[in-house]
Amino acid sequence: MTEEDDHLALEAIEVDLFIEAMLRRYGYDFRDYGRTSLTRRVRNLAQQFGTGTISALTALVLHSPERIGEVIGGLSVPASDFFRDPAIFRALKAHVFPVLASYARITIWQAGCARGEEVYSLAILLKEAGLYEKSRIFATDISETSLASAQEGIFPLSDMRDASRRYFESGGTQSLSAHYHARYERAKLDRGLIDNVTFAEHNLVTDGVFCEAHLILCRNVMIYFNDRLQARVLNLFADTLVRGGFLCVGDRENLRVAGASLFRPVEGAPSVFRLRSPVEPP
Ligand SMILES: C[S@@+](CC[C@H](N)C(=O)[O-])C[C@H]1O[C@@H](n2cnc3c(N)ncnc32)[C@H](O)[C@@H]1O
């Protein structure tokens, strides 16, 4: 065994013990997260906390419940963008909005909302389509620090230039700047965009159904999960959606085997799927 192999074997044990500590002490279950990227994040966290080793990080975490928010924040990857992958928003507008419009009230769940860029992007498009007023959007995440930041609705003004281009590519019909106020290098989103949004902690690994939704967006979250956890989450989504409800995932995600029996792709709408009816052939 080379020194490198020995180091990796030791690190694998340390990560196992860290995961066990998070589960037994705080109830956070990371056992079914993809191991390579989780290991990278645990390593970064040890560096951020200045503990040197992952074992020392585990000891610190076990004895510091007051830092658990910071730990979860460090393990989650809140990377997002306004109107990320515009083709998907265009597809939602063209294929999903007309169906949503037929409901008296619309319920949308955005799972893994990070700092809110995606939920505000959706809110803007719903508003421009005249659907926002009758919508209730639940935006959830595992990280309370991300949720607190999302709730503020304040973003660097420098993000808005590229966002404006993607807004038009997504089918935006006004001007993105009509939806925020610029002040001191910051963009504060119109408070009206938050009125119908409820931000809440929800862990896709352990929490259950809490609403009946017409549309669920869960983009770039399941990529961090192994096949077993993806299957659990897809079943949770199927149980949450109304008959014929829609699921939108990230552009690099396919629904693999578990998803294919529950959802069918919507023709012409990349990354958008529809719940199969129980009698529909797979
Ligand atoms: C890369 S971001 C995706 C943000 C946004 N959906 C997008 O596509 O731009 C992944 C988010 O998933 C959240 N997440 C990770 N594990 C989760 C879990 N078990 N339950 C809920 N959210 C989770 C992270 O905290 C992070 O905010």
Side-chain angles (χ1 to χ4, degrees), residues 29-30 33 41 72-73 75-81 84-85 110-115 117-118 140-143 146 202-206 217-221 223-225 229 250:
D29 188 351
F30 289 98
Y33 277 57
R41 280 173 280 140
I72 296 298
L75 293 177
S76 79
V77 185
S80 191
D81 267 323
R84 184 180 195 177
D85 309 320
Q110 205 236 312
C113 66
R115 299 194 188 108
E117 292 92 335
E118 188 177 13
T140 63
D141 202 280
I142 191 180
S143 164
S146 288
H202 181 282
N203 187 341
L204 290 165
V205 183
T206 43
L217 285 99
C218 184
R219 300 197 304 155
N220 308 302
V221 181
I223 45 170
Y224 299 103
F225 300 166
L229 183 51

Side-chain angles (χ1 to χ4, degrees), residues 88 91-92 96 246-249 264-267 269-274:
I88 295 184
L92 287 175
V96 180
F246 293 94
L247 171 65
C248 176
V249 298
R264 63 180 161 76
V266 173
E267 217 180 302
S271 307
V272 182
F273 296 82
R274 202 156 191 191

Side-chain angles (χ1 to χ4, degrees), residues 111-270:
C113 66
R115 299 194 188 108
E117 292 92 335
E118 188 177 13
V119 73
Y120 289 119
S121 304
L122 181 70
I124 287 169
L125 294 182
L126 286 168
K127 191 150 224 167
E128 292 183 358
L131 298 177
Y132 183 78
E133 297 312 324
K134 62 172 177 172
S135 299
R136 165 59 48 201
I137 308 175
F138 295 101
T140 63
D141 202 280
I142 191 180
S143 164
E144 63 179 34
T145 39
S146 288
L147 286 165
S149 159
Q151 200 138 18
E152 277 200 327
I154 299 173
F155 298 88
L157 191 56
S158 54
D159 288 359
M160 291 300 162
R161 196 153 35 118
D162 280 349
S164 175
R165 178 183 45 79
R166 290 191 301 270
Y167 159 80
F168 286 117
E169 288 170 11
S170 300
T173 54
Q174 300 175 13
S175 151
L176 183 56
S177 59
H179 299 285
Y180 67 83
H181 307 278
R183 254 191 117 192
Y184 306 116
E185 300 308 311
R186 287 165 160 231
K188 188 167 175 32
L189 288 169
D190 193 347
R191 288 317 282 174
L193 291 172
I194 213 177
D195 284 347
N196 298 353
V197 182
T198 303
F199 289 99
E201 248 182 275
H202 181 282
N203 187 341
L204 290 165
V205 183
T206 43
D207 294 334
V209 173
F210 65 92
C211 71
E212 194 174 58
H214 301 99
L215 165 66
I216 296 174
L217 285 99
C218 184
R219 300 197 304 155
N220 308 302
V221 181
M222 286 185 281
I223 45 170
Y224 299 103
F225 300 166
N226 68 16
D227 286 358
R228 185 170 47 184
L229 183 51
Q230 284 192 14
R232 187 229 183 235
V233 173
L234 289 170
N235 275 295
L236 174 67
F237 291 161
D239 290 344
T240 297
L241 285 171
V242 300
R243 179 189 284 257
F246 293 94
L247 171 65
C248 176
V249 298
D251 70 339
R252 286 171 298 153
E253 298 169 77
N254 56 47
L255 294 193
R256 307 220 189 135
V257 186
S261 61
L262 295 168
F263 300 94
R264 63 180 161 76
V266 173
E267 217 180 302

